[in-house]
């Protein structure tokens, strides 16, 4: 075993260390979870819901400690640690407890077909067993916590691999669930880099994997899971467009652009990374965005009034700077922002950056920025904005800003993405009843919502037949059966004029078949 260090991105301070494991150790951890999971799965949904409530209460008691750890380990401002991560997970636990039993209970199936009226069937949602969660560093609490909670409510055990930049938060997730009274060993946290994630995907004891991260790594995760005939839910980032229509509330749209583009220092998979504004309101919009951006405070993330903290790592800061420099070299204009030194801190800070004059073929418009940069493009029409918004390999989220709800919904239907927000952006990740996930290179599957529960279950059909009669389609096969089946199809589904004829011609075969069914004989 080795050790993995966790450091504060703002100061470089060593926060702690965790033990790493080797890939060969994963199977043993999964086997230990699998020993505990059946006990958990046999609990009623109401019992599991009570544990979710207890975990929520435990998290409320630890809320300040968790928020501080989030800010120290990941670098986001302390206010965002509460609003974007900790409080939403408290709400998610309560949602799991309140809605989980309804979503996961047996679901009766209606049989409108007259020849199936004796059948009684239902869907049952059974746990997969052990679910793997491979977490990102940008939202190292709320993303894995939600996936772990929903998997647990569905009756599974969980092996959690946190990002190597934020290992202490992964450890804390496990401890919070244990503080809620869940069986020890039902949630296990493991560390060790990408090879451990690959081992989780390969392990036959892991029935499904939730992964959040880059497209390149996500493809490998999906390939390994598919090769081993297991499912995966992949959230692989985005290049979210914002479309500002001519009839938008410009001040509201500008405020949304600033928050959507710069929250968490822009290190948000669903952050605004492309803004298309209609020409008639472009000057007003650009001026408002610039004014609001320049008011944002960059500095110590532990201060309540700080709005932009450090980049999570020097490597991430270098990538963002490289993309901006490439755009500037190719003719873009920086209206405000750029790298900034913060006195007393050794971390890498980038002041929120607004770019104008960008073109679609620039790297910054094709690649995920993952930093506090918003490129703004002036377009001639909303139709042009839609076309350019869809011209991307990504399709996570998008937003449309207009006072006309009907128009906004029409535009939303035409946008190729997993989520569209009208006059808002990205908020729904904090509302567990809303689905989360994308299309195209943004991934596969959904987390949160009822669909997130379905991802964590094996859906089984259970059917009961009292046996008072035999099925008419069983042997023996003969002309009577054929004539009766044809007559039945015409009676049930044919046009009105043909039904009377079908009844006349099919009465005899139907009567003989009915007698055969009641006798249960050949």
């Amino acid at each position: 075993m080795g050790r993995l260090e966790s450091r504060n991105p703002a100061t470089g301070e060593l926060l702690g260390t965790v033990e790493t494991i080797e890939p060969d150790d994963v199977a043993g951890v999964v086997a230990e979870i699998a020993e505990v999971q059946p006990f958990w799965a046999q609990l009623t949904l109401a019992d599991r819901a009570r544990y979710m409530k207890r975990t929520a209460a435990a998290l409320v008691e630890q809320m300040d400690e968790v928020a501080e750890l989030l800010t120290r380990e990941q670098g986001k401002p302390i206010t965002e640690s509460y609003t974007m991560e900790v409080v939403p997970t408290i709400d998610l636990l309560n949602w799991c407890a309140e809605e989980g039993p309804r979503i996961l209970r047996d679901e009766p199936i209606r049989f409108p077909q007259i020849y199936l009226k004796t059948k009684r069937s239902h869907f049952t949602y059974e746990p997969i067993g052990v679910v793997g969660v491979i977490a990102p560093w940008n939202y190292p609490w709320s993303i894995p916590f939600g996936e772990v909670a929903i998997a647990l409510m569905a009756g599974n055990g969980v092996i959690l691999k946190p990002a190597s930049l934020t290992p202490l938060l992964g450890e804390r997730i496990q401890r919070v669930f244990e503080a809620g009274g869940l069986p020890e060993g039902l949630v296990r946290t493991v560390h060790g880099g990408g090879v451990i994630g690959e081992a989780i995907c390969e392990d036959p004891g892991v029935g499904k994997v939730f992964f959040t991260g880059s497209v390149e790594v996500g493809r490998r995760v999906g390939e390994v899971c598919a090769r081993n005939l297991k499912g995966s839910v992949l959230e692989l980032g985005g290049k979210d467009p914002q479309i500002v229509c001519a009839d938008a509330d410009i001040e509201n749209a500008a405020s949304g652009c600033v928050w959507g583009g710069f929250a968490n220092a822009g290190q948000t998979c669903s952050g605004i990374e492309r803004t298309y504004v209609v020409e008639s309101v472009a000057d007003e919009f650009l001026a408002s965005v610039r004014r609001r951006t320049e008011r944002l405070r960059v500095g110590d993330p532990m201060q309540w009034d700080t709005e932009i903290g450090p980049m999570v790592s020097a490597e991430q800061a270098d990538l963002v700077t490289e993309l901006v420099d490439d755009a500037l070299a190719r003719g873009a204009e920086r209206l405000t922002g750029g790298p900034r030194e913060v006195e007393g801190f050794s971390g890498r800070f980038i002041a929120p950056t607004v770019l104008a004059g960008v073109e679609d073929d620039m790297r910054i418009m094709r690649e995920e920025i993952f930093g506090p940069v918003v490129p703004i493009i002036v377009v001639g029409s909303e139709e042009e904005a839609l076309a350019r918004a869809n011209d991307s390999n990504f399709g996570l989220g998008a937003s449309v800003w207009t006072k006309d709800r009907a128009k906004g919904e029409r535009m939303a239907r035409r946008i190729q993405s997993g989520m569209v927000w009208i006059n808002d952006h990205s908020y729904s990740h904090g509302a567990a009843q809303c689905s989360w996930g994308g299309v195209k290179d943004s991934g596969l599957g959904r987390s949160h919502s009822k669909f997130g529960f379905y991802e964590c279950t094996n859906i089984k059909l259970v059917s009961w037949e009292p046996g008072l009669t035999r099925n008419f389609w069983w042997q023996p096969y003969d002309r009577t059966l054929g004539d009766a089946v044809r007559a039945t199809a015409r009676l049930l589904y044919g046009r009105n004029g043909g039904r009377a004829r079908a009844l006349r011609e099919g009465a005899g075969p139907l009567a003989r078949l009915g007698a055969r069914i009641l006798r249960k004989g050949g």
Side-chain angles (χ1 to χ4, degrees), residues 298-517:
V298 180
D300 181 358
M302 287 301 296
Q303 296 298 313
W304 288 103
D305 60 355
T306 294
E307 287 146 334
I308 306 294
M311 301 300 294
V312 73
S313 66
E315 292 77 13
Q316 191 62 29
D318 288 340
L319 176 59
V320 174
T321 302
E322 177 185 326
L323 290 173
V324 171
D325 289 346
D326 176 77
L328 295 175
R330 299 183 62 187
E333 177 187 3
R334 177 161 43 200
L335 301 184
T336 188
R340 178 176 297 183
E341 297 288 332
V342 176
E343 186 177 354
F345 291 87
S346 60
R348 297 282 296 278
F349 292 78
I350 297 176
T353 302
V354 179
L355 297 180
V358 294
E359 299 294 340
D360 285 338
D361 61 353
M362 292 179 180
R363 285 181 60 200
I364 205 162
M365 291 299 291
R366 315 306 298 180
E367 301 175 24
E368 196 170 17
I369 305 170
F370 235 59
V373 181
V374 172
I376 300 178
I377 302 93
V378 178
V379 295
S381 66
E382 292 158 4
E383 195 67 27
E384 180 187 349
L386 277 170
R388 296 175 78 164
N390 284 333
D391 183 22
S392 172
N393 292 332
F394 291 101
L396 186 57
S399 58
V400 178
W401 301 74
T402 174
K403 294 176 184 175
D404 184 338
R405 178 176 177 178
K407 180 177 76 174
E409 291 183 353
R410 286 195 303 271
M411 294 176 70
R413 291 188 194 98
R414 297 176 61 191
I415 293 174
Q416 298 163 3
S417 65
M419 293 89 63
V420 180
W421 305 278
I422 302 172
N423 297 325
D424 209 330
H425 198 94
S426 195
Y427 80 92
S428 59
H429 193 268
Q433 63 269 37
C434 297
S435 62
W436 190 266
V439 300
K440 299 193 281 190
D441 282 358
S442 288
L444 298 169
R446 295 294 181 266
S447 61
H448 292 191
S449 78
K450 64 181 181 181
F451 302 108
F453 276 125
Y454 298 155
E455 295 281 8
C456 292
T457 60
N458 290 318
I459 301 172
K460 178 184 286 184
L461 171 72
V462 178
S463 186
W464 181 78
E465 160 61 54
L468 301 177
T469 63
R470 62 188 292 278
N471 289 323
F472 72 80
W473 55 86
W474 290 357
Q475 297 95 344
Y477 300 157
D478 55 20
R479 181 62 179 266
T480 294
L481 175 59
D483 288 344
V485 169
R486 287 189 298 168
T488 300
R490 290 185 176 118
L491 283 168
L492 293 176
Y493 309 117
R495 296 177 179 175
N496 289 335
R499 289 177 178 172
R501 178 183 172 189
L503 183 59
R504 288 194 306 270
E505 296 179 354
L510 285 167
R512 291 192 293 274
L513 184 62
R516 181 190 299 176
I517 290 170

Side-chain angles (χ1 to χ4, degrees), residues 49 52-53 91 93-103 153:
M52 295 296 109
K53 287 278 192 180
D91 180 77
L93 286 165
N94 283 283
W95 176 80
C96 284
E98 292 160 8
E99 295 298 321
R102 178 186 61 81
I103 294 169
M153 184 63 213

Side-chain angles (χ1 to χ4, degrees), residues 200-214:
I200 290 172
C201 297
E202 291 276 10
D203 193 282
V206 175
K208 194 157 199 174
V209 174
F210 284 74
F211 170 83
T212 306
S214 71

Side-chain angles (χ1 to χ4, degrees), residues 35-254:
E35 288 183 6
V36 181
Q37 182 268 334
F39 163 77
W40 174 251
Q42 74 182 2
L43 296 181
T44 66
L45 290 165
D47 284 340
R48 287 184 227 150
R50 279 191 282 273
Y51 281 104
M52 295 296 109
K53 287 278 192 180
R54 291 173 189 168
T55 303
L59 180 52
V60 169
E61 294 298 316
Q62 301 177 34
M63 178 169 54
D64 295 337
E65 295 175 18
V66 172
E68 182 175 333
L69 177 60
L70 257 164
T71 293
R72 293 194 180 281
E73 189 170 43
Q74 196 272 339
K76 59 171 46 71
I78 187 69
T79 301
E80 291 181 354
S81 290
Y82 284 96
T83 61
M84 301 179 76
E85 299 235 39
V86 181
V87 172
T89 53
I90 297 171
D91 180 77
L92 180 140
L93 286 165
N94 283 283
W95 176 80
C96 284
E98 292 160 8
E99 295 298 321
R102 178 186 61 81
I103 294 169
L104 293 169
R105 70 189 178 196
D106 289 353
E107 182 181 341
I109 301 169
R110 290 181 60 251
F111 283 109
Q113 301 95 330
I114 192 170
Y115 49 87
L116 298 178
K117 286 300 184 183
T118 62
K119 314 293 185 186
R120 296 293 180 270
S121 296
H122 62 269
F123 295 122
T124 184
Y125 300 100
E126 298 184 347
I128 290 171
V130 178
V131 170
V133 175
I134 302 175
W137 51 259
N138 61 329
Y139 288 85
W141 182 265
S142 61
I143 290 178
F145 196 102
E147 293 167 351
V148 171
I150 288 175
L152 290 170
M153 184 63 213
N156 300 289
V158 178
I159 181 169
L160 167 64
K161 184 205 165 298
S164 294
L165 289 172
T166 52
L168 301 182
L169 287 161
E171 293 285 334
R172 193 60 181 256
I173 288 173
Q174 176 180 325
R175 293 206 300 274
V176 166
F177 280 104
E178 290 172 352
L182 276 75
E184 186 175 345
L186 187 65
V187 179
R188 294 282 299 275
T189 306
V190 294
H191 308 277
V195 292
I196 301 304
E198 186 170 354
I200 290 172
C201 297
E202 291 276 10
D203 193 282
V206 175
K208 194 157 199 174
V209 174
F210 284 74
F211 170 83
T212 306
S214 71
V215 175
E216 180 185 2
V217 177
R219 285 187 191 279
R220 292 206 299 271
V221 168
E223 289 168 1
V224 171
C225 288
R227 196 164 58 242
N228 288 276
L229 294 181
K230 69 180 70 174
S232 59
V233 176
L234 310 175
E235 202 266 82
L236 308 181
K239 192 73 182 169
D240 283 18
Q242 175 192 31
I243 297 176
V244 182
C245 299
D247 65 343
D249 180 325
I250 296 304
E251 290 302 313
N252 188 50

